[in-house]
Amino acid sequence: MAKELEAGGKYRAIYLSAESAHRLDDPAIGIPALIMSLTDMVAAHPVLASAWPSAVPMHEWQAVLRRVLSGLAGRSDRPLGLLLDEADCLGGQTLISVLRQLREGYI
Protein backbone atom coordinates (compact mmCIF):
# COMPACT_ATOMS: atom_id res chain seq x y z
CA MET A 1 0.00 0.00 0.00
CA ALA A 2 2.92 2.38 0.67
CA LYS A 3 4.11 1.90 -2.89
CA GLU A 4 0.62 2.63 -4.19
CA LEU A 5 0.43 5.87 -2.20
CA GLU A 6 3.84 6.93 -3.48
CA ALA A 7 3.01 6.01 -7.08
CA GLY A 8 0.10 8.44 -7.11
CA GLY A 9 2.59 11.30 -6.76
CA LYS A 10 0.72 13.06 -3.96
CA TYR A 11 2.16 11.39 -0.85
CA ARG A 12 5.25 9.94 0.74
CA ALA A 13 4.61 6.77 2.71
CA ILE A 14 6.48 4.68 5.25
CA TYR A 15 5.50 1.16 6.22
CA LEU A 16 6.31 0.17 9.81
CA SER A 17 5.66 -3.21 11.35
CA ALA A 18 5.20 -3.26 15.12
CA GLU A 19 6.49 -6.85 15.27
CA SER A 20 9.82 -5.60 16.63
CA ALA A 21 8.04 -4.47 19.81
CA HIS A 22 6.00 -7.65 20.25
CA ARG A 23 5.40 -8.29 23.95
CA LEU A 24 7.61 -5.37 24.98
CA ASP A 25 5.15 -3.86 27.42
CA ASP A 26 7.71 -1.46 28.90
CA PRO A 27 7.73 1.60 26.62
CA ALA A 28 11.32 2.42 27.57
CA ILE A 29 12.19 -0.77 25.65
CA GLY A 30 9.30 -1.03 23.17
CA ILE A 31 9.47 2.50 21.73
CA PRO A 32 13.20 2.29 20.93
CA ALA A 33 12.54 -1.08 19.25
CA LEU A 34 9.95 0.59 17.01
CA ILE A 35 12.31 3.48 16.28
CA MET A 36 15.03 1.03 15.21
CA SER A 37 12.60 -0.60 12.77
CA LEU A 38 11.53 2.81 11.54
CA THR A 39 15.18 3.74 11.05
CA ASP A 40 15.65 0.76 8.76
CA MET A 41 12.51 1.52 6.75
CA VAL A 42 13.38 5.19 6.28
CA ALA A 43 16.99 4.35 5.36
CA ALA A 44 15.65 2.26 2.48
CA HIS A 45 13.36 5.04 1.22
CA PRO A 46 14.79 6.80 -1.85
CA VAL A 47 13.68 10.29 -0.74
CA LEU A 48 13.12 10.26 3.02
CA ALA A 49 16.47 8.68 3.93
CA SER A 50 18.12 12.09 3.77
CA ALA A 51 15.45 13.53 6.10
CA TRP A 52 16.27 11.18 8.99
CA PRO A 53 17.72 13.06 11.99
CA SER A 54 21.42 12.62 12.66
CA ALA A 55 20.75 11.81 16.31
CA VAL A 56 17.67 10.17 17.79
CA PRO A 57 17.30 10.50 21.57
CA MET A 58 16.12 6.95 22.33
CA HIS A 59 16.15 7.62 26.07
CA GLU A 60 13.33 10.15 25.55
CA TRP A 61 10.86 7.39 24.73
CA GLN A 62 7.90 9.48 25.91
CA ALA A 63 8.21 11.75 22.86
CA VAL A 64 10.76 10.31 20.44
CA LEU A 65 8.27 8.69 18.06
CA ARG A 66 6.25 11.90 17.75
CA ARG A 67 9.38 14.00 17.27
CA VAL A 68 10.88 11.72 14.63
CA LEU A 69 7.64 11.45 12.65
CA SER A 70 6.96 15.18 12.91
CA GLY A 71 10.49 15.90 11.72
CA LEU A 72 10.14 13.54 8.77
CA ALA A 73 6.79 15.05 7.83
CA GLY A 74 8.25 18.54 8.05
CA ARG A 75 11.19 17.66 5.80
CA SER A 76 9.12 15.72 3.27
CA ASP A 77 8.25 17.35 -0.03
CA ARG A 78 4.79 15.72 0.18
CA PRO A 79 2.35 14.81 2.96
CA LEU A 80 3.64 11.77 4.83
CA GLY A 81 1.57 8.69 5.56
CA LEU A 82 2.58 6.12 8.18
CA LEU A 83 1.27 2.61 7.63
CA LEU A 84 1.57 0.93 11.03
CA ASP A 85 1.14 -2.81 10.60
CA GLU A 86 0.77 -5.39 13.36
CA ALA A 87 -0.22 -2.73 15.88
CA ASP A 88 -1.98 -5.50 17.78
CA CYS A 89 1.49 -6.78 18.73
CA LEU A 90 1.93 -3.76 20.96
CA GLY A 91 0.85 -4.21 24.52
CA GLY A 92 0.61 -2.52 27.84
CA GLN A 93 2.20 0.85 28.27
CA THR A 94 4.04 0.62 24.93
CA LEU A 95 0.72 0.62 23.07
CA ILE A 96 -0.57 3.50 25.16
CA SER A 97 2.61 5.51 24.57
CA VAL A 98 2.51 4.94 20.79
CA LEU A 99 -1.13 6.01 20.61
CA ARG A 100 -0.51 9.09 22.75
CA GLN A 101 2.47 10.17 20.69
CA LEU A 102 0.53 9.75 17.45
CA ARG A 103 -2.40 11.68 18.87
CA GLU A 104 -0.20 14.47 20.24
CA GLY A 105 1.38 14.92 16.82
CA TYR A 106 -1.98 14.77 15.01
CA ILE A 107 -0.37 12.20 12.80
Side-chain angles (χ1 to χ4, degrees):
M1 183 178 254
K3 289 180 182 179
E4 290 175 21
L5 282 173
E6 292 258 348
K10 292 183 178 180
Y11 304 100
R12 295 281 175 223
I14 292 291
Y15 168 86
L16 175 62
S17 172
E19 287 275 347
S20 62
H22 182 66
R23 294 192 178 174
L24 298 177
D25 293 343
D26 181 352
I29 299 169
I31 298 293
L34 277 177
I35 295 294
M36 293 305 297
S37 292
L38 183 60
T39 300
D40 294 341
M41 298 308 294
V42 172
H45 192 281
V47 175
L48 295 175
S50 63
W52 190 253
S54 59
V56 177
M58 296 290 206
H59 63 281
E60 296 177 5
W61 59 265
Q62 303 92 334
V64 69
L65 182 62
R66 177 186 52 80
R67 289 179 182 160
V68 166
L69 291 174
S70 293
L72 281 174
R75 291 182 202 94
S76 178
D77 60 337
R78 300 177 190 162
L80 178 63
L82 174 68
L83 305 172
L84 180 59
D85 194 13
E86 302 295 336
D88 58 324
C89 287
L90 300 174
Q93 293 302 310
T94 297
L95 173 62
I96 291 169
S97 182
V98 166
L99 294 175
R100 283 183 176 157
Q101 290 184 56
L102 292 175
R103 183 186 65 222
E104 286 174 14
Y106 297 99
I107 297 172

